[in-house]
């Protein structure tokens, strides 16, 4: 039985996360550890709570996108390693050594700036070198015809940096159906292995090695580097459920999203609903207003697209334009709808379920995008933590 908690709220199930961590561990070699990617407030789920749960489950290494996110985890009590995957601006360099964080050494130029700072302040800055094997985002470019291994060696040799790892990132690990994409991923892996071999050959210790994101784990589970870097998978879904994968794990979505009915009224034939008057009742309809809108993270692009939510374990269609704080649904035929009833926007109600994938398909994006947009004003509640 669903219980009301707010006008709109997000519920996260700790048991689901524990289960998903186990499923991931079952896929990967025993010697490989999980580096939990909890960036962007753990994909909107709440980074402090989720990271603490993961730490209790034995996860010792985390990755975030920014120094602010790393500081937030330290404050929450995360004592393990935290790798900042993104760029840290100069004015925040001091946090890197003060809080014992690992920085992405994302280019030779950037590593040199960090080294200079560390030299000046008599500190050591720790981090992992990023290798660009084809993503063309961050990292030292190491492609067949643009192979800058000398730059990698130079970073290892910078006096005031402690290079403790080497990593790269897949750009099409999700794509199995297109031969060219598969070959691309396999070649990214070969290039990464070549860099590792060259580093060893040069007498340097590469440190911890890691390559796979969630789709890297699902489609290339046999790779056995020191870490895998799953993000979205720990939360129980993939970026796009229409994409087939190589393995068959059973993940459980951790997130559910709810809101309350504020008002129900009869809208007579010919009357319109909402801004822009894009929906007009073809006959008398019972319309309920739900207390959640695009300022809460419901994509406005889902207006008038036939997107459905759940009420009393039945499907109800969103009608008219989604407003900033509210949306309207057609509840004709659903019995006893009243103010205070709970609407499920993501999750299970009785035998019915609305998935994040339905939303993503409706607005032509990926799940990662949508879950990150559930805004700060939606309170998060944690069950089984
Ligand atoms: C976001 C990110 C990940 C995790 O990606 P998922 O697809 O959520 O598993 C891993 N590595 C890097 C470098 C990332 O930016």
């Amino acid at each position: 039985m669903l219980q009301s908690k707010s006008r709109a709220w997000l519920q996260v199930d700790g048991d689901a996360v524990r289960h998903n961590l186990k499923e991931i561990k079952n896929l990967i070699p025993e010697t490989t550890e999980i580096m939990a990617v909890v960036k962007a407030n753990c994909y909107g789920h709440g980074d402090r709570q989720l990271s603490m749960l993961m730490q209790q489950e034995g996860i010792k290494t985390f990755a975030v996108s920014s120094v602010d996110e790393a500081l937030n985890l330290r404050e929450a009590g995360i004592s393990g390693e935290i790798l900042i995957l993104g760029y840290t601006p100069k004015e925040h360099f001091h946090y890197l050594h003060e809080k014992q964080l690992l920085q992405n050494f994302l280019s030779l130029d950037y590593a040199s700036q960090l080294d200079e700072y560390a030299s000046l302040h008599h500190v050591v800055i720790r981090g992992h070198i990023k290798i660009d094997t084809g993503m063309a985002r961050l990292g030292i470019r190491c492609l067949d015809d643009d192979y800058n291994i000398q730059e990698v060696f130079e970073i290892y040799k910078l006096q005031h940096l402690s290079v403790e790892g080497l990593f790269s990132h897949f750009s099409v690990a999700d794509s199995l159906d297109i031969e060219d994409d598969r070959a691309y991923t396999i070649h990214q892996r070969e290039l990464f292995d070549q860099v590792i071999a060259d580093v060893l050959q040069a007498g340097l210790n590469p440190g911890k090695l890691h390559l796979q994101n969630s789709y890297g784990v699902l489609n290339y589970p046999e790779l056995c580097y020191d870490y895998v870097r799953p993000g979205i998978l720990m939360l129980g879904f993939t970026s796009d459920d229409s994409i087939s994968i190589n393995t068959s794990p059973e993940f459980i979505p951790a997130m559910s999203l709810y809101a309350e009915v504020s008002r129900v009224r009869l809208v007579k034939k010919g009357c319109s609903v909402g801004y822009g008057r894009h929906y007009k009742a073809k006959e008398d309809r019972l319309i309920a207003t739900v207390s959640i809108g695009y300022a809460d993270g419901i994509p406005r692009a889902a207006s008038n697209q036939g997107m459905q939510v759940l009420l009393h374990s039945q499907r109800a269609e969103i009608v008219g334009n989604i407003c900033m704080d509210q949306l309207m649904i057609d509840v004709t035929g659903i019995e006893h709808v009243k103010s205070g009833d709970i609407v499920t926007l993501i999750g299970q109600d009785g035998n019915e379920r609305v998935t994040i994938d339905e939303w993503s398909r409706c607005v032509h994006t990926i799940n990662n995008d949508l879950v990150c947009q559930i805004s700060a004003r939606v309170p998060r509640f944690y069950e089984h933590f």
Side-chain angles (χ1 to χ4, degrees):
M1 192 56 195
L2 296 172
Q3 220 178 353
S4 180
K5 297 210 165 77
S6 184
R7 65 171 268 280
W9 72 99
L10 192 153
Q11 197 148 311
V12 185
D13 181 2
D15 283 345
V17 178
R18 284 187 198 92
H19 168 89
N20 298 332
L21 289 173
K22 277 203 195 91
E23 290 286 296
I24 294 170
K25 282 182 194 152
N26 288 339
L27 288 175
I28 60 178
E30 222 162 284
T31 48
T32 299
E33 280 183 41
I34 294 174
M35 175 189 287
V37 180
V38 295
K39 60 191 178 187
N41 194 26
C42 196
Y43 298 61
H45 289 60
D47 54 1
R48 286 178 167 235
Q49 293 81 357
L50 273 288
S51 302
M52 286 308 283
L53 179 144
M54 290 170 190
Q55 184 165 269
Q56 281 156 18
E57 292 301 305
I59 304 283
K60 297 194 221 46
T61 312
F62 296 84
V64 293
S65 63
S66 70
V67 72
D68 310 77
E69 291 177 351
L71 297 180
N72 188 33
L73 292 195
R74 280 283 182 256
E75 268 173 38
I78 295 300
S79 53
E81 300 287 14
I82 303 175
L83 173 63
I84 298 170
L85 296 169
Y87 166 84
T88 298
K90 257 201 171 99
E91 54 273 28
H92 292 158
F93 280 178
H94 64 100
Y95 287 126
L96 298 175
H97 59 90
E98 284 166 12
K99 299 292 177 184
Q100 280 296 306
L101 304 172
L102 293 165
Q103 171 60 40
N104 177 355
F105 297 148
L106 54 91
S107 72
L108 175 58
D109 171 55
Y110 186 64
S112 304
Q113 290 176 38
L114 286 162
D115 182 65
E116 198 176 307
Y117 166 91
S119 163
L120 202 66
H121 294 84
H122 309 287
V123 295
V124 171
I125 290 184
R126 306 166 56 220
H128 291 191
I129 300 177
K130 179 78 175 278
I131 305 297
D132 175 5
T133 53
M135 177 76 177
R137 187 170 66 176
L138 297 177
I140 313 285
R141 207 83 174 133
C142 289
L143 304 182
D144 289 325
D145 55 357
D146 189 9
Y147 192 72
N148 301 286
I149 195 70
Q150 286 302 331
E151 293 189 13
V152 179
F153 295 163
E154 278 184 58
I155 298 179
Y156 272 101
K157 289 174 183 162
L158 288 171
Q159 289 285 312
H160 309 275
L161 299 188
S162 167
V163 181
E164 301 178 16
L166 191 65
F167 70 113
S168 189
H169 191 54
F170 283 138
S171 50
V172 280
D174 54 329
S175 176
L176 291 176
D177 300 337
I178 300 168
E179 190 49 43
D180 188 50
D181 287 347
R182 287 179 76 116
Y184 196 84
T185 301
I186 289 163
H187 194 51
Q188 279 197 278
R189 192 249 169 134
E190 286 167 356
L191 288 166
F192 186 54
D193 285 343
Q194 185 61 54
V195 171
I196 296 164
D198 289 348
V199 167
L200 287 168
Q201 180 74 34
L204 299 162
N205 174 7
K208 301 282 192 186
L209 306 170
H210 44 109
L211 178 60
Q212 299 137 283
N213 56 353
S214 289
Y215 277 111
V217 172
L218 292 172
N219 290 333
Y220 304 89
E222 71 285 356
L223 300 185
C224 49
Y225 298 108
D226 295 297
Y227 298 117
V228 290
R229 293 192 312 269
I232 199 143
L233 219 46
M234 301 186 294
L235 306 167
F237 43 89
T238 54
S239 300
D240 181 344
D241 75 341
S242 64
I243 297 177
S244 58
I245 53 173
N246 245 344
T247 49
S248 50
E250 304 231 344
F251 291 101
I252 302 173
M255 166 191 284
S256 302
L257 182 65
Y258 304 103
E260 288 199 2
V261 170
S262 51
R263 170 162 197 235
V264 191
R265 110 275 304 126
L266 188 74
V267 171
K268 296 235 161 145
K269 178 179 175 179
C271 291
S272 66
V273 172
Y275 289 125
R277 307 187 62 217
H278 293 300
Y279 172 85
K280 288 202 180 87
K282 291 201 183 76
E283 52 195 281
D284 291 1
R285 305 300 291 177
L286 196 61
I287 303 293
T289 303
V290 185
S291 56
I292 192 166
Y294 63 77
D296 300 291
I298 300 298
R300 187 173 174 280
S303 304
N304 302 298
Q305 300 296 316
M307 183 62 207
Q308 296 175 337
V309 297
L310 306 179
L311 179 61
H312 297 184
S313 309
Q314 293 173 62
R315 289 191 163 250
E317 188 170 315
I318 296 175
V319 293
N321 281 5
I322 294 169
C323 310
M324 185 183 285
D325 315 304
Q326 303 167 83
L327 55 84
M328 277 67 90
I329 60 177
D330 185 341
V331 298
T332 312
I334 301 179
E335 283 183 12
H336 311 303
V337 179
K338 59 185 185 313
S339 162
D341 284 356
I342 297 175
V343 173
T344 304
L345 295 112
I346 300 170
Q348 183 109 20
D349 180 6
N351 292 324
E352 280 287 350
R353 167 174 284 280
V354 177
T355 63
I356 183 75
D357 295 278
E358 280 177 66
W359 285 98
S360 298
R361 269 196 292 280
C362 178
V363 300
H364 310 288
T365 188
I366 56 171
N367 293 333
N368 317 38
D369 176 13
L370 291 188
V371 290
C372 289
Q373 309 220 22
I374 297 172
S375 72
R377 86 171 184 192
V378 178
R380 272 71 169 162
F381 291 89
Y382 297 92
E383 251 192 353
H384 309 123
F385 269 71

